[in-house]
Amino acid sequence: MHRIEIEAEVDLLALNKKLARENREFFRENGITVFNIMGAIGSGKTLLIEKTVEALGSQLKIGAILGDVVCNADYERVAKLGIRADAINTGKECHLDAHLLHNRIKNFADMDLLLIENVGNLICPVDFDLGEDYRIVMVSVTEGDDVIGKHPEIFRLADLIIINKVALAGAVGADVDKMVEDARSLSNAEIIKMDLKEGIGFDEWLNFVRRAVNVSGNSGKS
Amino acid sequence: MHRIEIEAEVDLLALNKKLARENREFFRENGITVFNIMGAIGSGKTLLIEKTVEALGSQLKIGAILGDVVCNADYERVAKLGIRADAINTGKECHLDAHLLHNRIKNFADMDLLLIENVGNLICPVDFDLGEDYRIVMVSVTEGDDVIGKHPEIFRLADLIIINKVALAGAVGADVDKMVEDARSLSNAEIIKMDLKEGIGFDEWLNFVRRAVNVSGNSGKS
């Protein structure tokens, strides 16, 4: 029985790889910089997207695709900002995959930056390349300061690690330095200590976004 | 390709059902009350187990099985309390299943209460009956006050819903009443507003535990 599961998984991952490659080609051809934003429930992914649109929406054409198991709450929050947005409800699936995105991305061909919010989960999205340029992993100190060590895979593959809600570290008894060390032991990615509600680390994030768009978005756009 | 995935899933769920039934028979025969404690990362599951052992460990024989993707941090916290405990590392799997528990539970035959901490995840554990008597779902206000509406399935099937870290609601801007309403709209389960660090709601929890042990644990034990 477990054998069957493994075979199916291999097939699915091979298919995902192929479709992710196609997605990536589409993004390159159209000069779109794509972020796959991953993190647990409540880590701050949607708020990060909202604030990024507020800060950079006049300089960059930004689109967003919001993944959730059910309901469109995150989508509605972002769509209210007037940008092009789409919602993907995965049903019982705990991650986005390249196939779910494959037809949706066509509507974002004229964007400079596409922000994809993955389903809130630190385990399942790891294996599924979406065709993105950058994997952003967000955690918040309220998840416990052992959260990074408990989910090494997703941090190993991250291009940027954000430790959010640092202003609450005292209230929840979390050791931010330990979290940074744990992240550093797994990855050479840039690490941003952030508190979105207090504005901490947001400039660093905007710099990361601007650099990313300059690097990967300089082809194809007329 | 997706067809293959679905077939495998159906087979796996059928196998899980069968093994869950066997687990449940084992628990009944031995008079063990079993809790399947589910919730996202950082919702407070391990701390709840620790505090329950401290409060009731002299009256009840309590065992614990701690599920995690990798690492034994939660297991080590609980084992330090001197109770019988076991750790299950699921590797890449995002939930426990009846099969993973099937051989481990033999060591807990003489317990009054077995606390199973599922992998930190509000999506994947839903479909997998472990053979437990009660499904406990824990969320914390720091996950955002929309977390319940976003994950209806796990709350629909809950026997007890715990909303933890209510003392932080102001700091994170969460509306606890909304969370209670969302939970109530999905389930008739008892709802406990809790803050484990402040001791809020803990007596209600202990009453729930004592009632549960009296109801389901009164058979088989010599």
Side-chain angles (χ1 to χ4, degrees), chain B residues 122 126 137-139 143 147-163 182-183 186-189:
Chain B
L122 285 170
V126 174
V137 183
M138 254 186 127
V139 285
E143 292 159 38
V147 63
I148 294 174
K150 279 178 166 179
H151 301 84
E153 277 312 313
I154 201 162
F155 293 96
R156 260 186 209 123
L157 297 171
D159 298 301
L160 174 69
I161 296 167
I162 298 174
I163 301 171
D182 285 354
L186 292 165
S187 167
N188 282 320

Side-chain angles (χ1 to χ4, degrees), chain B residues 23-176:
Chain B
N23 291 351
R24 188 165 278 115
E25 270 164 35
F26 172 83
F27 295 138
R28 290 235 171 109
E29 277 165 17
N30 291 282
I32 313 166
T33 303
V34 182
F35 288 6
N36 177 5
I37 305 174
M38 297 178 280
I41 275 291
S43 55
K45 300 184 294 297
T46 311
L47 188 60
L48 182 69
I49 292 176
E50 289 175 309
K51 289 198 175 281
T52 305
V53 171
E54 283 166 14
L56 298 177
S58 60
Q59 303 150 48
L60 295 172
K61 290 193 76 169
I62 305 177
I65 298 179
L66 293 300
D68 243 318
V69 186
V70 293
C71 96
N72 289 330
D74 291 346
Y75 165 74
E76 279 158 19
R77 281 173 58 183
V78 170
K80 252 197 300 208
L81 301 172
I83 64 163
R84 200 172 310 153
D86 198 354
I88 298 181
N89 280 163
T90 58
K92 287 197 159 182
E93 284 303 314
C94 44
H95 56 84
L96 292 178
D97 61 37
H99 182 253
L100 286 168
L101 283 164
H102 202 248
N103 292 316
R104 310 293 189 107
I105 57 179
K106 304 283 180 278
N107 295 327
F108 295 88
D110 57 331
M111 294 290 138
D112 298 308
L113 176 64
L114 176 59
L115 303 172
I116 302 172
E117 180 179 325
N118 218 311
V119 179
N121 194 313
L122 285 170
I123 305 167
C124 312
V126 174
D127 287 327
F128 291 86
D129 183 6
L130 306 179
E132 71 274 1
D133 297 294
Y134 297 93
R135 290 184 158 218
I136 319 293
V137 183
M138 254 186 127
V139 285
S140 97
V141 302
T142 60
E143 292 159 38
D145 58 16
D146 52 359
V147 63
I148 294 174
K150 279 178 166 179
H151 301 84
E153 277 312 313
I154 201 162
F155 293 96
R156 260 186 209 123
L157 297 171
D159 298 301
L160 174 69
I161 296 167
I162 298 174
I163 301 171
N164 193 21
K165 305 191 192 176
V166 293
L168 292 175
V172 297
D175 179 346
V176 177

